[in-house]
Amino acid sequence: MDRTYSLQDAVGALNTLQSNASVVNAIRLSGGKMNAQAIPEMIEWCRRIGYEPSDFNRLNAVHIAGTKGKGSTSAFISSILAQYRPSHAEVSQPGKLHKIGLYTSPHLRFVRERIQIDNAPISEAAFASYFFQTWDRLEASAAATGEPTNPCAKPVYFRYLTLMALHTYMTEGVDTAVVECGIGGEYDSTNILVRPTVTGITSLGIDHTVVLGKTIEEIAWHKAGIMKKGSVCYTVQQPEAAMAVLRERATERGSELRVVAERHPQIVSGEVVLGLAADFQKTNASLAVEIAAEHLRVLGHKGLDVKKKLPEEFVRGLEQVRWGGRCETRLEGPIGWHLDGGHTLESITVAGEWYAERVLASHTPNPRNSFKETAPPVSSAATATSPRILLFNQQTRAGLPLLRTLHEFLSNQLEEAHPFSHVIFCSNVTFADSGFRPDLVSINVSTEELEDLRVQKELAQAWEDIDGKGSEVFVVRTIEDAVAKARQIARTWTERNAGRGGPTAEGAVKVLVTGSVHLVGGVLEVLATEE
């Protein structure tokens, strides 16, 4: 079929495959579990575009599951393995990796981020081309059997992207693919991989309880579903209840379970300076080291020992890795944007820990009183305090427990009753005039909720109840509005501080953006657009 391959058309068609708000809510209310037919259905979709699951053995897949850090761990692995690609001066050799795929979710700004080759998103043209190749094959298969060819007869959003990623990697000649699970493992769309070289399970916690269960044991059972006979599975220290399930599942599946009990000494000491900030990344990096080493051994790299001294390639990979929106800092004059998409109780605590480290390093107590007109004049720049701002949204999960956890944790860490001077709640709509950026469209949120900002108003009231009026609270409609509000607060403080004779340090106004990966991606989009 002749078709003009437009990225805009591809993203528009992809968005029609999202589950709408009513479907998502029905699933949530039903307490439904992951569909045991998910893998047979996914296998059938693969066949419709011309593949058997065993065909993907050519990709030499590294399969990663977990609750926290699976994206970062996957990025570490991909960055390490990229160091083993032949340089332009080298002749291709057996055992060398030539093209490395990285499949992750969700994306921050561009859906292309999910499908990477050699640690870069595929091009706009390639995305459009492979998207419509997959689309057209599905339509041709449906037409051949007299089935409907509309979007309802295609796999949903994440399944479709998984199909497309695998097709892309097969067509591009990828010979190592690092594949991150979406949700769970046992019934995840990525779990059609038959013979991964190695699997990995990052730190486990409570998340996606509607589909995975409410206990750590149930969640561990799902994550362990990626274990395969003959492939080693690496994990980090887990709660004992979870570890017991992982051991049992490894025995059932004929997979050897190896626990990375300690962080690598070169990483702990700081001799290796990780490309990703925050202390918890040392755990992810140590797990990635073992997984990458096992993958290389399976591919024929002999005598590879990473226990004590890391090879130069591993050091470069760990130091050069980049993974946006996870404990990421962007400086903009007096504002330091601290971005982390933490959206579970565990991950938002990790984000809070990282933010507290940055605040304590600059010795800035809550300046709420210094914003009052009656505040005494500040005679020294050294005693002038800067605002601390929380920019938050959580549209589809219970945001209140996240806010409570973040407030309690930061209050304890900072030894202050009120950890923020200002708190801004917004929706995940990107721009005030044009709405969502196409790649960031979400139709699984009620239009009515977005229009009246119902969730944001509830969160604002909850914060005031928690914080006891210790911070100024704002509710705004879009991410662009929230960024503008934070800038206005920073500008007001900067002008007052300058009037007192105090200089303004770069990044003095510390804004924590958290609660949702979609929110972080939207903030990055607004910042980049205005640049």
Side-chain angles (χ1 to χ4, degrees):
M1 177 186 299
D2 292 333
R3 182 190 294 275
T4 301
Y5 293 123
S6 159
L7 177 66
Q8 183 177 0
D9 290 342
V11 173
L14 177 63
N15 286 336
T16 68
L17 305 180
Q18 293 187 42
S19 301
N20 63 34
S22 61
V23 173
V24 172
N25 193 50
I27 293 172
R28 188 178 296 122
L29 293 175
S30 72
K33 302 298 182 182
M34 293 291 274
N35 182 4
Q37 292 301 308
I39 298 304
E41 289 171 359
M42 191 65 183
I43 291 172
E44 178 58 27
W45 290 121
C46 285
R47 288 172 176 159
R48 291 186 177 208
I49 66 169
Y51 298 104
E52 292 291 334
S54 59
D55 294 337
F56 304 130
N57 292 345
R58 284 170 39 197
L59 299 178
N60 295 310
V62 177
H63 203 185
I64 305 297
T67 306
K68 298 172 289 182
K70 57 191 172 83
S72 300
T73 301
S74 297
F76 275 123
I77 295 167
S78 181
S79 184
I80 291 169
L81 295 179
Q83 311 307 315
Y84 285 85
R85 295 172 54 227
S87 68
H88 294 299
E90 289 179 316
V91 178
S92 180
Q93 302 171 7
K96 285 286 186 181
L97 287 69
H98 301 91
K99 278 191 177 181
I100 300 170
L102 175 62
Y103 178 60
T104 61
S105 62
H107 59 277
L108 287 173
R109 294 178 59 206
F110 310 107
V111 68
R112 296 184 293 112
E113 296 166 17
R114 296 179 181 232
I115 305 175
Q116 299 192 23
I117 295 178
D118 295 336
N119 294 313
I122 60 175
S123 69
E124 294 184 2
F127 186 92
S129 178
Y130 288 122
F131 178 91
F132 282 115
Q133 286 178 32
T134 305
W135 187 277
D136 291 346
R137 290 187 186 193
L138 290 170
E139 293 214 331
S141 174
T145 56
E147 298 176 22
T149 59
N150 58 44
C152 294
K154 293 182 176 65
V156 294
Y157 191 97
F158 182 75
R159 286 190 184 184
Y160 189 96
L161 283 172
T162 303
L163 282 176
M164 177 186 159
L166 293 171
H167 171 56
T168 301
Y169 294 154
M170 294 291 284
T171 307
E172 289 284 336
V174 163
D175 54 10
T176 282
V178 183
V179 178
E180 177 197 359
C181 283
I183 296 175
E186 177 73 23
Y187 302 131
D188 187 75
S189 302
T190 63
N191 205 27
I192 55 172
L193 298 170
V194 177
R195 198 174 65 203
T197 60
V198 57
T199 61
I201 298 175
T202 64
S203 299
L204 297 179
I206 305 299
D207 193 18
H208 298 292
T209 55
V210 170
V211 290
L212 300 182
K214 297 180 179 180
T215 69
I216 195 70
E217 293 91 340
E218 291 175 295
I219 290 169
W221 185 91
H222 278 281
K223 305 294 184 181
I226 68 168
M227 295 177 177
K228 297 293 189 298
K229 184 177 181 179
S231 297
V232 176
C233 178
Y234 285 87
T235 191
V236 295
Q237 288 284 15
Q238 308 282 4
E240 184 50 41
M243 193 64 77
V245 174
L246 296 183
R247 293 191 195 101
E248 182 180 352
R249 291 278 272 163
T251 300
E252 290 173 357
R253 291 179 163 261
S255 174
E256 180 184 351
L257 180 65
R258 297 178 186 171
V259 180
V260 182
E262 297 180 353
R263 295 172 170 184
H264 195 281
Q266 285 178 268
I267 294 173
V268 172
S269 68
E271 179 183 347
V272 176
V273 181
L274 300 179
L276 302 183
D279 182 73
F280 70 90
Q281 294 291 7
K282 295 177 181 179
T283 298
N284 295 333
S286 299
L287 177 61
V289 163
E290 296 292 346
I291 293 171
E294 179 65 21
H295 177 75
L296 290 167
R297 285 191 287 264
V298 170
L299 294 187
H301 288 256
K302 306 297 183 183
L304 187 60
D305 184 7
V306 297
K307 295 296 184 185
K308 294 182 180 179
K309 183 70 175 177
L310 291 173
E312 291 181 8
E313 293 88 347
F314 277 65
V315 174
R316 284 200 306 271
L318 293 171
E319 293 186 340
Q320 293 177 7
V321 68
R322 296 293 179 266
W323 196 239
R326 284 77 170 178
C327 293
E328 179 183 4
T329 302
R330 295 283 184 97
L331 296 178
E332 183 189 67
I335 301 178
W337 299 98
H338 296 74
L339 305 120
D340 188 272
H343 52 265
T344 67
L345 295 178
E346 292 87 355
S347 60
I348 207 158
T349 299
V350 167
E353 181 178 13
W354 168 68
Y355 181 73
E357 290 172 357
R358 306 304 293 262
V359 170
L360 291 172
S362 59
H363 304 290
T364 55
N366 186 339
R368 185 74 176 91
N369 289 334
S370 70
F371 268 70
K372 297 178 181 177
E373 294 298 334
T374 56
V378 180
S379 58
S380 167
T383 59
T385 54
S386 55
R388 296 204 301 264
I389 305 170
L390 173 64
L391 202 168
F392 185 92
N393 189 42
Q394 178 43 254
Q395 197 75 41
T396 59
R397 285 183 175 84
L400 179 55
L402 298 180
L403 285 178
R404 287 189 184 279
T405 298
L406 182 63
H407 186 280
E408 180 180 1
F409 181 83
L410 284 176
S411 295
N412 290 333
Q413 290 291 107
L414 301 175
E415 297 182 347
E416 296 181 29
H418 311 298
F420 295 100
S421 58
H422 303 78
V423 180
I424 306 169
F425 296 98
C426 66
S427 72
N428 284 340
V429 176
T430 321
F431 295 108
D433 292 333
S434 55
F436 283 106
R437 173 188 166 83
D439 294 66
L440 301 177
V441 165
S442 176
I443 65 172
N444 60 13
V445 176
S446 163
T447 303
E448 291 75 16
E449 283 187 0
L450 286 178
E451 285 297 323
D452 63 17
L453 298 175
R454 188 182 315 161
V455 171
Q456 289 67 39
K457 291 173 183 176
E458 291 172 354
L459 291 173
Q461 182 59 57
W463 181 267
E464 291 187 343
D465 294 341
I466 294 168
D467 195 55
K469 307 288 185 180
S471 53
E472 285 192 70
V473 179
F474 305 91
V475 173
V476 298
R477 186 162 298 280
T478 70
I479 294 172
E480 184 179 29
D481 295 330
V483 168
K485 174 60 71 174
R487 285 171 170 161
Q488 178 188 7
I489 294 166
R491 185 165 55 251
T492 299
W493 173 77
T494 300
E495 291 170 354
R496 291 186 180 181
N497 192 44
R500 294 164 175 158
T504 301
E506 186 176 40
V509 179
K510 291 179 169 49
V511 183
L512 175 61
V513 181
T514 193
S516 162
V517 174
H518 303 289
L519 172 64
V520 169
V523 169
L524 289 171
E525 176 64 18
V526 170
L527 296 179
T529 300
E530 294 181 354
E531 287 174 0

